[in-house]
Amino acid sequence: FSPDGRHLATAGGTVRWVMDEPVQDGGEVIVWWWERGGEPKLVHKLSAHPGGCFALAWSPDGKTLATGGGEAGHGFLRQAQEGASKDAVKLWDAAAGKLLRSY
């Protein structure tokens, strides 16, 4: 949940085994707006990390959402073994759903 408790971010990423090798499906982040007593409403659907998204963190002011994951063909498991690659961490403008920076 965001610091104000009004937004919820969920991350997805699936690891499956193919021919005894781990394969990761793309990860997306969904940001929901939630009002007490009401139904959640979709705010943004972000294609965050093609190799799976496995971490989320809100900035203290709730304006930035940080995501962590992997690249296509170089998923999180491989990055952990070989060292992180570019775009492993991304910072998003939470209100606009736009990518601010990637590391």
Side-chain angles (χ1 to χ4, degrees), residues 32-97:
W32 303 90
W33 179 74
W34 199 300
E35 186 174 318
R36 186 177 283 246
E39 293 292 320
K41 294 184 173 99
L42 177 74
V43 177
H44 303 295
K45 191 180 277 191
L46 311 171
S47 296
H49 299 275
C53 183
F54 301 99
L56 293 172
W58 291 91
S59 64
D61 64 6
K63 293 181 179 182
T64 304
L65 180 64
T67 62
E71 296 177 37
H74 301 284
F76 184 77
L77 294 176
R78 183 157 302 176
Q79 287 182 21
Q81 294 167 350
E82 299 173 2
S85 63
K86 66 176 185 165
D87 300 331
V89 175
K90 295 183 179 182
L91 300 178
W92 302 86
D93 178 319

